[in-house]
Amino acid sequence: MVDMDRISISLPTKLLNEFDEIIAERGYASRSEAIRDAIRDYIIKHKWIHSLEGERAGTINVIYDHHMSDVTEKLTEIQHDYTDIIVATLHVHLDHDHCMEVILVRGDAKQIKELTDKLTAQKGVKQVKLTVMVPGGKVPQ
Ligand code: NI
């Protein structure tokens, strides 16, 4: 028998409703099992990002709600600390509330993941997706 801990979490109703719709579609027997899977995915993603090493080129895609406090300024401030690895930033106004930034990066993977983590941790940021390639065309480990 696996050790189990019971936790209690607060979620916005809309987020929980969306989650419940997806787990119904996917046929989960319980919400707990779906949340366990989601946490496993989160851990795998984190480990993947943190195992990156060496020279990489890629993009960090960020979607955020620009009405959320000072998120726009915060994201700009963070990017100004990484001018060594940021090649260009593309800003798209997606709809009334949301903006997308596509940050083109090239440089040390350690710095790329540090930047990705800082952007992800900002309040108002809804999605962050990092895609990286090896500049020389070799398949990353
Ligand atoms: Ni915008």
Side-chain angles (χ1 to χ4, degrees):
M1 186 71 187
V2 183
D3 284 342
M4 290 276 191
D5 287 312
R6 186 175 283 269
I7 60 164
S8 156
I9 56 171
S10 306
L11 295 173
T13 308
K14 201 177 153 229
L15 183 64
L16 185 60
N17 289 344
E18 273 183 63
F19 189 73
D20 282 343
E21 270 174 39
I22 292 168
I23 66 178
E25 240 174 66
R26 301 186 74 181
Y28 275 96
S30 76
R31 196 190 259 161
S32 288
E33 185 49 34
I35 290 171
R36 284 194 285 271
D37 272 359
I39 292 175
R40 282 185 206 108
D41 276 352
Y42 182 88
I43 292 170
I44 288 168
K45 191 178 153 203
H46 177 87
K47 285 186 175 169
W48 173 77
I49 288 177
H50 284 262
S51 69
L52 290 175
E53 276 178 357
E55 176 85 0
R56 290 288 188 280
T59 56
I60 307 168
N61 296 345
V62 183
I63 291 179
Y64 65 95
D65 182 343
H66 74 95
H67 294 302
M68 199 72 166
S69 62
D70 53 354
V71 62
T72 308
E73 289 77 12
K74 282 272 171 60
L75 295 183
T76 304
E77 236 171 73
I78 293 169
Q79 290 182 63
H80 277 268
D81 289 335
Y82 290 87
T83 50
D84 287 354
I85 58 164
I86 295 175
V87 179
T89 302
L90 181 69
H91 185 102
V92 183
H93 310 301
L94 289 178
D95 57 32
H96 184 261
D97 302 319
H98 299 101
C99 300
M100 177 167 78
E101 271 184 19
V102 180
I103 306 166
L104 181 59
V105 288
R106 182 179 185 169
D108 182 40
K110 220 179 250 170
Q111 274 196 293
I112 294 173
K113 64 195 179 193
E114 199 183 278
L115 171 60
T116 305
D117 281 343
K118 284 188 185 170
L119 297 168
T120 305
Q122 286 310 303
K123 210 173 176 184
V125 170
K126 294 195 163 174
Q127 277 186 67
V128 175
K129 192 168 176 133
L130 170 66
T131 310
V132 286
M133 291 179 289
V134 178
K138 273 182 271 164
V139 179
Q141 67 277 37

